[in-house]
Amino acid sequence: MTLTLGLTSLFLAFACALYASVAALIAGPRKLNAWIDSARNAAILTWPLLTLASLAVIIMLVQGQYQVEYVSDVSSLAMPWYLKVTALWGGQAGSLLFWSWLMSAFASAAMLRRWDRDRSLMPYVIAVSMITLAFFILLCLFVENPFRRLWLSQATGEVNPALFQPANSTLFTPQDGRGLNPLLRHPGMIIHPPMLYLGFVGFVVPYAFAVAALITGRTDDEWIRTTRRWTLVGWLFLSLGLILGGRWAYDVLGWGGYWGWDPVENAALLPWLTGTAFLHSVMIQEKRGMLKKWNMVLIILTYALVIFGTFLTRSGVLSSVHAFAQSAIGPLFFGFIGITFTISMSLLFWRWDSLASETQMDSLLSREAAFLLNNLLFLGIAFATLWGTIYPLISELVTGQKITVGPPYYNRVNGPLLAILVLLMGIAPLIAWRKASFKSLSKLMWIPAALTIPTLILFYFLGAAHPVALGAYAITAFVGYTTLSEFARGMVARMRLGENPLIALINLSARNRRRYGGYTIHLGVVVMAFGVIGSNLFQTETQATLAQGETLSIGGFTLRFDSVALFPTNDNREVTRATVTVFDSSGRLIAELHPRRDFFLDSGQPMTIPGVRSTFGEDFYVILVDWQPIGSTGATFKVYVNPLINLVWTGGLIFILGTLVATWPDADEEKRYAAAPASTLATAGAD
Amino acid sequence: MIQKSEIRSQKSEAVIAALLVALAVALVFAAPVFAQNGEPTDDEVNAVAKQLYCPVCENTPLDVCPTQACAQWRATIKEKLIAGWSEQQIKDYFVQQYGERVLAQPSTRGLNVLVWVLPPIGFLIGAAALAYYLQQLRNPAPSVVAAPASAPPTDDDDDYEKRLEEELAKRR
């Protein structure tokens, strides 16, 4: 019953998405308003339909209907109910459905909200978003269907999954499921995929508007103004997804770090990089009427990378060419990316001449030029990251040899670019639009530069004597001070009126959210950079096998091994939990930690959970590597001391706060904007 | 007593990896000179394992891989260290046994040169294209020169400061 309802809803959603895209494409150029309305209604209907389909899967997961292949793959009796619910995005079939559901939610919201204002663009917005949605539902229906059941063949005795009952077979219901991948049974991993997916689908909206602008020839910056907030929302979620992913890695992967340039991490980072370049470069178009073609290129690239990222995060394709060949998913994804990319770029070339700049560059020392350099750096990093991510596949395809492209590659190639990018982040906001002078620039920079020197001396005496670290801290501190000085300038102007500093700061940010939200984001990056530099360059580690009561020392701390206990849990885990005591350099007891190793019996996988003592200055991070099973007398520990790592998370919070400020609706701006587009609407109608 | 050895980690992301290159060079010089007296410590084993990738798991450095297989590979490293092998010899041994994928980064031989060469080339092409574009904008063809005479660009920054001043004036 549930299954039939879910499957039917999924199929109807597919039909609606297809109908909406075809109807919109046919009715759009002919201005058949009734048909366009009908296409919109069909598009909006996909959301309740996909909600039903997703609910059906959730109900089957919670009820434990193990005759359903997906249910038995990602859940088990021992799992608590909330994990069963979140198992919706714990496997490939479910995550495709979940992606589709989020996509339809965004698309419906965009259509309901923007219908009257951008009427001429809407048919194509419907078409583009619904084609994307139809593609994902197609994968869900025909390749990775979460509603497939297990059938026992009478003839061969084999169990095979199928949607409908094959001849001579009976339904097969396993006693229990295989359970969710243990690594995914963590709060961070429960929230992280939805955030990432929301970020991915968020970028589909500006892409749909961009393509609509190309098709209709409304190549003014209307599409950019309309989608600015959508872009920011997508970017907000993508950033949140990346930060939460890092936190999750730090908490459960047990290698003392939070970012390893893993293909799956890169998959999420790539659209973020091009999306960030896009967020900056649209400002040039809005303010100066330049770079219209470039912005189109950026959003098209971002869309392609979103689809690519969705594909990578779940398919496991990058592990091997063979995995790629085994599933129909890979070729379909690559086909879809290829086709949409080609069509988008063709449209762009078709409208090439109408996308000429309205103004010209006045000076190389201008905000415009700085933004262009920013774009070059972001794209350079994105290119190197993409290349490193896909190269192992190319190597295996061409030479048959498997290789690894690991962190040393990314550090070496992306590191210098990132360092320049951070520096640019500090200087660019000081450079005026159109034309700046070195004199005015140096007037703004000398105070931050002067403040950087005592800060460096302070860092030196706090222990950061490493020349490389001092260089990196110098850049970061300077950028921090220039960003703060921008806040100070605005606040001083308001305080002259008699506002107290706090009110001045609040009013300043509220009146120009994009600008000061942006600066807050920059401050977040600065704080994160301090954490990244500290935790990378000054991380120390040691490993030792200790007998009970023995100690090891690292970075002024002493760890004593007290005991280790092995016990089963009622949710089917076998837990090995060690107890260690940590003392500081003066011998004072500062913490009792419990690093442990959970072995999940249903899935046969281990999970390493570190014991962490976290302070603002550093984390003391202990991993239980190994232990003697008999007598529980000895155990091997790996200990990391990660200085300043909490600044990474603090900076992340500031970053998100800034994005919220920039994204929050602004009534004043809406009013100004509402007055503006009358002329553009008129010209579009004549097109 | 456990020898206290601090190994600078090159792991994870880098905002400052240019700087990490220098660090890598430093590491080469600071590489643990294996003491001939006594067994190698876990830290000495990890210093080698860190540079190798688990031959069976995806993208997991050997020093942090929790699987049983990797524990055995670490034991192998320890044996080789006891036998007096150098770090490079051990790495070569692993490459010979399990292929080049055990190295954290590809060599610069054969097709793999592309890994290292293409990103800088791509960046330079991008930089050249940008320079060309800026050059063009600065010396526009005569037909383009007429354009900027149109409406002055609205500048939100100026706009904002103007509004701020107005507001301040009103309240004064």
Side-chain angles (χ1 to χ4, degrees), chain B residues 61-162:
Chain B
L62 203 49
D63 64 325
V64 293
C65 184
T67 64
Q68 209 52 47
C70 283
Q72 270 162 28
W73 278 307
R74 283 192 293 269
T76 310
I77 295 175
K78 193 170 186 174
E79 281 165 25
K80 303 289 180 198
L81 282 173
I82 292 170
W85 288 33
S86 74
E87 202 174 285
Q88 192 55 48
Q89 280 172 319
I90 297 173
K91 278 161 77 175
D92 290 344
Y93 167 80
F94 270 86
V95 170
Q96 190 207 332
Q97 291 283 313
Y98 307 103
E100 213 180 298
R101 63 176 299 202
V102 298
L103 295 178
Q105 49 186 333
S107 66
T108 49
R109 285 188 302 273
L111 186 72
N112 291 346
V113 173
L114 283 180
V115 180
W116 298 103
V117 170
L118 219 56
I121 289 182
F123 185 76
L124 289 177
I125 290 175
L130 178 60
Y132 176 75
Y133 174 73
L134 290 175
Q135 197 63 33
Q136 269 208 324
L137 284 176
R138 289 200 71 196
N139 311 311
S143 59
V144 189
V145 179
S150 58
T154 60
D155 189 321
D156 270 10
D157 289 4
D158 294 349
D159 214 32
Y160 175 72
E161 263 144 41
K162 208 169 68 200

Side-chain angles (χ1 to χ4, degrees), chain A residues 69-239:
Chain A
E69 184 196 21
Y70 184 72
V71 174
S72 78
D73 275 355
V74 298
S75 69
S76 64
L77 287 171
M79 274 164 52
W81 67 270
Y82 60 90
L83 280 181
K84 288 180 181 166
V85 172
T86 59
L88 173 64
W89 52 86
Q92 182 159 299
S95 13
L96 286 172
L97 176 61
F98 184 58
W99 205 101
S100 310
W101 180 70
L102 292 175
M103 173 77 237
S104 72
F106 262 69
S108 310
M111 279 160 213
L112 287 170
R113 200 169 141 61
R114 289 293 174 185
W115 188 250
D116 290 324
R117 194 179 287 170
D118 310 294
R119 229 184 146 95
S120 65
L121 292 178
M122 286 324 276
Y124 307 101
V125 172
I126 295 175
V128 173
S129 53
M130 285 302 118
I131 288 171
T132 309
L133 181 63
F135 170 70
F136 278 91
I137 305 180
L138 174 119
L139 294 178
C140 244
L141 266 179
F142 300 108
V143 189
E144 289 284 341
N145 195 314
F147 296 104
R148 278 194 299 197
R149 278 170 292 177
L150 298 167
W151 301 95
L152 177 71
S153 163
Q154 305 291 4
T156 60
E158 280 174 13
V159 174
N160 286 309
L163 259 191
F164 303 105
Q165 184 168 19
N168 282 330
S169 63
T170 51
L171 201 58
F172 176 76
T173 309
Q175 289 290 305
D176 195 0
R178 269 183 267 170
L180 192 63
N181 182 339
L183 295 179
L184 305 181
R185 302 181 197 191
H186 178 272
M189 212 51 190
I190 291 169
I191 328 167
H192 161 74
M195 293 298 129
L196 214 54
Y197 286 6
L198 277 172
F200 282 171
V201 298
F203 275 108
V204 177
V205 177
Y207 169 76
F209 273 89
V211 172
L214 284 175
I215 295 176
T216 54
R218 279 185 56 190
T219 46
D220 53 77
D221 43 9
E222 176 70 13
W223 71 274
I224 284 181
R225 290 187 195 277
T226 301
T227 59
R228 185 166 87 72
R229 199 146 268 123
W230 288 101
T231 312
L232 271 172
V233 168
W235 193 76
L236 166 71
F237 283 116
L238 199 50
S239 310

